[in-house]
Amino acid sequence: MNAIEAVVVEKAKRAKEAARRLAYLPTTVKDAGLLAMADALEAQMAEILAANAQDLEAGRLKGLSGALLDRLMLNEKRVKEMAQGLRDVVKLPDPVGEVVAMWRRPNGLEVGKMRVPLGVIGMIYEARPNVTVDAAGLCLKAGNAVVLRGGSEAINSNSAITRIIATAAYQAGIPEGAIEFIDRTEREAAQVLMRLNEYIDVLIPRGGAGLIQTVVKTATVPVIETGVGNCHVYVDEFADLSKAEPIIINAKCQRPGVCNAMETLLVHEAVAPAFLPAIAQRLKERGVEIRGCPTTLKFVPWAKPATEDDWHAEFLDLILAVRVVRSLDEALDHIYRYGTKHSEAIVTENYTNARRFLKEVDAAAVYVNASTRFTDGGQFGFGAEIGISTQKLHARGPMGLKELTTVKYIIFGEGQVRE
């Protein structure tokens, strides 16, 4: 066992030992730990921001895009939001121990299903320091230990944050080892974590398509896929265009570097002549580069021609692919072919088309007349989230506390034996 493997294995071992105690820790103790973590973030904000400044400077030297630098950047407001996110989790019901069903068998046995923690969760993620806090807080409340492995771009920020929140949590009564951070940036560290079936119960990757596919193909530990978001907004022929414009601007421009941002705009040919030039100009004013189909280029001559790769792309930047379609069927076909099953939206006043879109689009979140940017645990009322699951097994969509648990069967008898 080399030095890198030894570090990862030791941290995973500590997490597994902590998970045993966390599984039955009282809610009051877990909540006290979360509140202590929140207070520590605010009290030691200067240290966090100083570490983040180092990461931002290194990112600029590496040539990271503006959108990626935005994901990496922390300021006083964002640190306070992370602290508030932990306090919001405190307000949520503890799912551990909830009996979700109970029934009596003819022989008198009472059989039930009870929520229990998953155990040890491994998080592999890229340049978003807030994930460190969200993951630690949610895992703790749901009774899980967590092993965090962030990207090299945020190594200083993540190291500082983890040290601060873990120290605060342990002082409040959380078992030591419940929050572990792998501070080795070598790729081998992540590869070791992906194969630690003895200690890790599930892996949750958060980041771009490359990271997620690497984890899916490499890991022997079960994986919950999250986050790749080639999200579409379809402007129907029956759309209220006064609604369509703010939805599109919000979905593309509010935070282009996140997974629920729109990457492709589909516009029905009936409204394209009037709508496309106007919306394209609004987007251009906000720095958006448009890559369009041949019909789009007729209405937006300054746009760049779209390639096949553009329809597949999760740009995570101020770039938008635009296609004019002849029908709802064509829009549905495009989304089925290129979508990543994350978030899709239709803008329409036609009840039948709205219902059909909801029924036929296969995605974790499907919207009528609203921005895809709402796909978020906080916006859905879950508090913070650990990621957006784009798969169908175990969890789908924003993953809150309940999605970080499984169930076990509990059986009450009075001496029954099987005949």
Side-chain angles (χ1 to χ4, degrees):
M1 185 182 297
N2 62 33
I4 296 174
E5 185 177 1
V7 167
V8 177
V9 170
E10 181 58 31
K11 290 178 181 290
K13 281 183 178 179
R14 286 202 294 265
K16 185 171 183 178
E17 284 299 313
R20 180 182 179 186
R21 292 178 56 199
L22 269 172
Y24 55 83
L25 207 64
T27 303
T28 52
V29 178
K30 292 188 288 188
D31 286 347
L34 291 166
L35 291 172
M37 289 159 62
D39 291 343
L41 284 173
E42 293 179 338
Q44 300 178 62
M45 185 183 300
E47 180 182 343
I48 294 170
L49 295 182
N52 185 247
Q54 292 180 281
D55 291 329
L56 287 170
E57 179 60 24
R60 292 187 190 99
L61 293 175
K62 284 183 181 179
L64 295 183
S65 70
L68 287 177
L69 287 171
D70 175 66
R71 297 177 80 165
L72 175 60
M73 187 266 292
L74 293 177
N75 53 29
E76 182 175 339
K77 178 176 181 289
R78 289 185 178 182
V79 175
K80 287 184 176 180
E81 286 173 349
M82 292 191 298
Q84 185 58 45
L86 292 171
R87 296 181 181 116
D88 290 342
V89 172
V90 170
K91 301 172 186 176
L92 297 172
D94 187 344
V96 178
E98 177 190 1
V99 178
V100 297
M102 181 70 75
W103 60 96
R104 181 182 292 273
R105 298 293 297 141
N107 63 1
L109 285 178
E110 292 185 342
V111 182
K113 293 171 71 174
M114 176 187 287
R115 289 196 185 279
V116 296
L118 291 171
V120 179
I121 295 175
M123 286 289 302
I124 299 178
Y125 54 105
E126 292 179 324
R128 290 187 68 178
N130 65 296
V131 174
T132 302
V133 176
D134 291 347
L138 283 167
C139 286
L140 193 159
K141 179 84 176 201
N144 301 292
V146 63
V147 180
L148 301 158
R149 202 279 183 177
S152 59
E153 298 87 355
I155 184 64
N156 295 296
S157 305
N158 288 333
S159 295
I161 290 169
T162 308
R163 182 172 61 255
I164 289 166
I165 63 174
T167 299
Y170 301 156
Q171 290 175 349
I174 301 301
E176 291 200 19
I179 304 170
E180 291 287 342
F181 177 71
I182 298 173
D183 55 6
R184 300 296 296 257
T185 59
E186 297 91 343
R187 185 172 298 178
E188 183 183 352
Q191 292 173 338
V192 172
L193 183 63
M194 293 181 215
R195 295 188 173 96
L196 286 183
N197 295 64
E198 182 178 355
Y199 304 110
I200 307 296
D201 293 287
V202 64
L203 280 172
I204 303 176
R206 280 190 67 171
L211 168 70
I212 292 170
Q213 287 307 307
T214 296
V215 174
V216 169
K217 293 175 181 177
T218 305
T220 55
V221 174
V223 176
I224 298 177
E225 290 189 55
T226 67
V228 177
N230 184 9
C231 304
H232 301 74
V233 173
Y234 166 55
V235 180
D236 189 39
E237 62 179 312
F238 302 106
D240 179 340
L241 300 182
S242 66
K243 291 180 182 177
E245 180 175 323
I247 287 171
I248 290 165
I249 297 298
N250 179 261
K252 181 69 254 181
C253 302
Q254 188 201 33
R255 287 196 72 185
V258 294
C259 62
N260 57 18
M262 174 183 63
E263 303 291 17
T264 298
L265 172 63
L266 304 174
V267 180
H268 193 282
E269 63 180 8
V271 298
F275 183 66
L276 262 183
I279 192 63
Q281 183 59 36
R282 300 291 87 75
L283 290 164
K284 184 179 182 181
E285 290 167 0
R286 289 164 174 80
V288 178
E289 174 188 313
I290 291 181
R291 301 178 184 179
C293 69
T295 306
T296 298
L297 298 180
K298 293 178 182 178
F299 301 119
V300 189
W302 50 266
K304 295 182 178 180
T307 67
E308 179 67 15
D309 288 343
D310 290 327
W311 306 126
H312 289 279
E314 184 188 30
F315 297 112
L316 299 175
D317 205 345
L318 288 172
I319 303 170
L320 180 65
V322 181
R323 181 179 177 186
V324 176
V325 296
R326 292 168 293 184
S327 64
L328 173 58
D329 283 322
E330 192 171 331
L332 292 169
D333 288 345
H334 183 102
I335 292 170
Y336 183 81
R337 180 175 179 182
Y338 298 106
T340 53
K341 304 184 187 300
H342 192 296
S343 301
E344 311 291 359
I346 184 174
V347 183
T348 187
E349 298 302 305
N350 183 283
Y351 177 82
T352 301
N353 286 3
R355 295 286 295 180
R356 188 175 168 207
F357 193 86
L358 290 172
K359 180 179 179 181
E360 296 187 22
V361 170
D362 183 14
V366 186
Y367 294 83
V368 176
N369 295 330
S371 170
T372 57
R373 286 282 290 115
F374 286 105
T375 306
D376 172 87
Q379 296 296 319
F380 282 13
F382 304 157
E385 61 167 55
I386 204 163
I388 310 293
S389 171
T390 54
Q391 66 182 39
K392 298 180 182 179
L393 294 178
H394 173 66
R396 196 177 197 195
M399 295 178 60
L401 290 174
K402 287 187 177 181
E403 286 73 27
L404 296 179
T405 65
T406 183
V407 296
K408 67 180 177 184
Y409 286 90
I410 54 174
I411 301 93
F412 295 92
E414 297 176 332
Q416 290 95 330
V417 296
R418 184 169 177 175
E419 297 296 334

